[in-house]
Amino acid sequence: MPGTFPAPGTPISTLTPAPADLTPFNTLGLRSRAEHYVRIDDLAQLPALSALAARHGRLLVLGGGSNMVLPSEVDGLVVHMALRGVRLIEQRADAWIVEAAGGEVWHDFVQSCLAQGWDGLENLSLIPGTVGAAPVQNIGAYGVELDSRFESLTAWDVTKREWVHMDRADCQFAYRDSRFKHEAAGRWIIVAVRFALPRPWRPVLDYPDLQRHAGLAEATAAGAPARLSARSIADAVCDIRRAKLPDPARIGNAGSFFKNPIVDAAQREALAARFPGLVSYAQPDGRYKLAAGWLIDQCGWKGRSLGAAGVHERQALVLVNRGGAQAADILALARAIQADVQARFGVALEAEPVVVGG
């Protein structure tokens, strides 16, 4: 169970690396292979992992593989996080404190919370990946970001060979960012994440797509406010995501490939004067978030391909593997898109996925 850590003197479980095909372990479906692969499904394995990491040098932590661009050959040691378990830690007046193991599938965890009446993660439904990877990316969707529901996490420091407890400040969250994306790769193995799910629950319906969803509009109509629930929002989010985003099981993709760029008010006004249809969203600090998908679409990339890599027909933010693509194909397409957006709008697009070995 997550949170139940080995007592001092617990025997160290052994780990034996073996070659592995990583193609099924990344949602882009890129052909990839690791010479040294281990699976972590027991906390007692982590001390042995530190010893292995010292020998292999480079360490890659793999969860659901939904936010990675993997090369054809992965150097070093690949660690597949498979710890499972969900439990209620504390019932406070203002929040449910819920803990999930790092290997839990994110969407399954959200569904489990909703089933228990622990609401607050419904806007983050159907995001691919694992719980342990969620803080790394500071995932977010439809008006909610992970850091607004985050309480703390426990990680294994591979280098120092000790348990580490981190709160929100320690994680240094920012838009689709955290300290885990900037400090030494593979230093920490996130084994458990705790969430503070607010009581009383309040729906977050600021995102335009949610306001336009027929099911939610009906639920919030005059005389029927009691019909609105976290479950109805989760269902709406799933409907919207399925309509916009391709299923990785059918066509390889990593979800939104680019971050929505944030610009100052002056640059936004200048762009809006040149491009009246510019899609932008005001931010609390006075800056504006631009819709990267709109910028890419205006450059004519929606539905286009470069070799085996392409841009999805319905969502310009999504790069897809049309069959047999490798990392070089995806990255060449991404660079071409970035160059066109920069040339036309003067805006730099930043990729969301981690480029392994890049």
Side-chain angles (χ1 to χ4, degrees):
M1 179 180 291
T4 304
F5 300 101
T10 300
I12 296 174
S13 297
T14 59
L15 283 176
T16 303
D21 178 11
L22 302 182
T23 307
F25 297 150
N26 73 101
T27 61
L28 266 166
L30 301 177
R31 290 176 293 180
S32 183
R33 183 179 181 277
E35 186 66 29
H36 306 287
Y37 164 95
V38 294
R39 174 185 168 96
I40 299 294
D41 51 23
D42 186 338
L43 292 170
Q45 295 171 309
L46 292 170
L49 175 64
S50 287
L52 279 177
R55 294 205 300 270
H56 288 279
R58 188 166 186 167
L59 187 150
L60 171 66
V61 182
L62 184 65
S66 61
N67 197 49
M68 287 185 172
V69 180
L70 294 179
S72 56
E73 297 287 338
V74 179
D75 296 329
L77 180 66
V78 175
V79 180
H80 197 176
M81 172 53 61
L83 293 168
R84 306 300 292 268
V86 175
R87 65 172 182 165
L88 178 66
I89 295 292
E90 183 181 0
Q91 181 178 338
R92 300 195 318 226
D94 64 334
W96 304 98
I97 307 301
V98 181
E99 180 184 78
E104 283 288 328
V105 174
W106 175 262
H107 180 66
D108 292 349
F109 166 60
V110 173
Q111 294 299 301
S112 175
C113 288
L114 292 172
Q116 295 289 337
W118 308 329
D119 300 334
L121 297 175
E122 54 281 347
N123 294 56
L124 305 180
S125 296
L126 213 60
I127 293 178
T130 58
V131 168
V136 178
Q137 183 72 0
N138 189 20
I139 60 172
Y142 301 103
V144 174
E145 293 199 344
L146 177 134
D147 63 344
S148 68
R149 301 288 187 260
F150 179 87
E151 197 271 336
S152 62
L153 63 79
T154 299
W156 174 257
D157 188 320
V158 176
T159 303
K160 293 185 177 181
R161 306 188 184 198
E162 64 183 18
W163 298 108
V164 179
H165 183 86
M166 297 185 184
D167 60 18
R168 185 183 291 111
D170 294 326
C171 294
Q172 300 171 19
F173 290 122
Y175 172 58
R176 301 296 177 274
D177 202 8
S178 70
R179 74 182 296 180
F180 306 106
K181 296 182 75 171
H182 299 282
E183 299 193 24
R187 175 180 172 182
W188 292 290
I189 308 292
I190 298 174
V191 300
V193 185
R194 285 164 289 280
F195 299 87
L197 306 183
R199 302 178 67 200
W201 172 78
R202 294 182 179 85
V204 178
L205 297 171
D206 299 334
Y207 203 85
D209 278 1
L210 292 178
Q211 296 171 6
R212 291 191 292 263
H213 188 272
L216 295 184
E218 180 182 347
T220 55
R227 295 174 58 183
L228 181 65
S229 65
R231 172 62 66 186
S232 64
I233 294 173
D235 290 344
V237 168
C238 290
D239 287 346
I240 295 166
R241 290 186 70 91
R242 289 184 177 118
K244 283 188 170 185
L245 302 172
D247 182 353
R250 303 186 66 177
I251 183 167
N253 73 89
S256 298
F257 198 89
F258 297 102
K259 297 180 183 181
N260 290 319
I262 297 177
V263 301
D264 60 34
Q267 184 176 4
R268 184 263 179 191
E269 292 306 315
L271 285 169
R274 291 175 54 206
F275 307 99
L278 182 74
V279 179
S280 63
Y281 305 96
Q283 302 299 292
D285 62 2
R287 296 186 297 168
Y288 284 82
K289 183 184 294 183
L290 306 183
W294 186 89
L295 300 176
I296 296 166
D297 195 8
Q298 295 302 300
C299 292
W301 277 103
K302 185 184 287 185
R304 286 177 57 189
S305 297
L306 284 181
V311 180
H312 195 254
E313 291 78 7
R314 295 196 308 270
Q315 176 52 267
L317 263 182
V318 177
L319 304 192
V320 298
N321 178 357
R322 299 209 183 277
Q326 296 191 7
D329 302 308
I330 297 292
L331 297 178
L333 175 60
R335 287 192 293 268
I337 292 170
Q338 289 169 317
D340 279 2
V341 169
Q342 180 71 55
R344 183 166 187 184
F345 298 102
V347 173
L349 290 184
E350 182 180 351
E352 280 198 31
V354 174
V355 180
V356 178

